[in-house]
Amino acid sequence: HTALRIEPEYDGPVIYISDASRGPGVVGELMEPSRKNEFVQRTRSEYAALREKRAAKTSAIKLMSPEEAFERRLRIDWNDYRPTPPRQPGITLFENYPLDEIIPYIDWTPFFNVWKLPGRYPDILSSKKYGDDARKLMNDSEELLQLMQETDSVNARAVIGLFPAGSTGEDIELYTDDSRSELLAIFHMLRRQQPLRDGGTVSLADFVAPKESGIADYMGVFMASAGFGADDLIARFDDDHDDYRAILVKALADRLAEAFTELLHEKVRRELWGYAQDEKLTNEDLIREKYTGIRPAPGYPSCPDHTEKRTLLDILEAEKKIGIRVTENYALAPPATVCGYYFAHPRSHYFPLGKIDERQLKLYAERKKMPMEEARRWLASNLIDG
């Protein structure tokens, strides 16, 4: 990313380091006149070589036209599938959700990886090399989670919407009710233009019944956060010059948000939507995503355009109802906030969009009524010439 995107846009030295501990060595090279020029030129040559290598690889990619890609779309036999109507359609609000219900859903493995303690939980706790540090970190985390619960200093909130839906090409239309006479919103999806192994292509729109089929299908959307109050708790530790616990709060808030999302998805499948009401999965099963359906989010490889978050925010009224905001660059606030879609069809799955070309970009911008340059900005990493 540094070589491809950042370095060509800046006249001064741009240096990537894999770890903050390597910063002083790089700064030392830049501060020493006798070594600076050679170091900078060597780095620029390495980055130029990376760009040439990427350009050669990209030029070898063959893309179908958007029309051919749509013709080769994932074919689902909708006559052989009966969508389950949500038990609780429309908006469902969750405020001050109990942390003690969320904590059991935490996937601790990524948490330890963030702290540079590689290995799977709980095996990491008995590791000969990392066990002592892992157990101390776990104890500190449990103490901090207990503090959050006892003082109600960190708050979890969410809003979920389950609506009638139908696909039209690469778009998914949501409707206000089962009469399907009033359009609520349109989510704009993108289609993979590189053929899969079977020669076909896929878009998230393929997982919702076509509007023209007359089949009454549904789709869900959500926004959830476990970050309310986290900034105040972080500030409290910062005031005490306790950097360790300030960082720990951030890491735990992120884990709580992901755990909250997992819990809510289970609640949707079994209760609110009810399309998998008899599901019985362990926490390990949930971590391995052994359930029916998916919950991708704007920014995922299958739907990389972050601007779709605005539509999510608006139809859920998430800012008004629970205080979640979308920044001008489409980051979610407060931190430790997650959003996304719910797809229920058994054949729905995650996939990488891969590269697209100017032809699909143009069609996408037209559908979104977005200027081409703005669409190009948000999809730059996916463009074949990007």
Side-chain angles (χ1 to χ4, degrees), residues 217-292:
D217 206 355
Y218 302 85
M219 178 179 166
V221 291
F222 72 94
M223 282 193 159
S225 178
F228 293 99
D231 284 345
D232 291 339
L233 188 56
I234 291 168
R236 172 180 152 188
F237 287 122
D238 282 339
D239 290 342
D240 292 338
H241 306 289
D242 192 341
D243 294 339
Y244 167 63
R245 280 180 173 75
I247 296 171
L248 192 55
V249 170
K250 297 176 185 178
L252 287 173
D254 287 339
R255 286 295 92 208
L256 285 169
E258 293 294 338
F260 192 26
T261 303
E262 195 72 78
L263 182 157
L264 291 171
H265 195 187
E266 182 182 65
K267 189 176 287 290
V268 164
R269 295 191 303 271
R270 298 181 61 184
E271 302 171 23
L272 301 181
W273 195 334
Y275 67 83
Q277 55 185 311
D278 298 325
E279 172 187 282
K280 294 180 181 178
L281 300 175
T282 66
N283 195 45
E284 186 64 23
D285 291 334
L286 295 176
I287 291 171
R288 295 184 178 182
E289 299 173 351
K290 291 187 176 181
Y291 41 73
T292 300

Side-chain angles (χ1 to χ4, degrees), residues 64-71 170 191 193 357 359-361 363:
M64 289 179 271
S65 70
E67 294 76 19
E68 183 183 0
F70 183 73
E71 284 301 313
E170 309 301 353
R191 179 168 298 281
Q193 287 182 259
D357 62 20
R359 294 171 293 181
Q360 182 166 188
L361 180 71
L363 293 171

Side-chain angles (χ1 to χ4, degrees), residues 297-312:
Y300 267 42
S302 55
C303 46
D305 182 6
H306 286 269
T307 67
E308 292 289 290
K309 291 175 184 174
R310 171 56 61 183
T311 305
L312 276 169

Side-chain angles (χ1 to χ4, degrees), residues 113-133:
N113 288 340
V114 165
W115 290 85
K116 305 297 183 184
L117 297 172
R120 288 185 59 81
Y121 174 85
D123 298 340
I124 184 70
L125 300 178
S126 56
S127 165
K128 291 182 179 180
K129 185 174 182 180
Y130 301 109
D132 289 344
D133 290 334

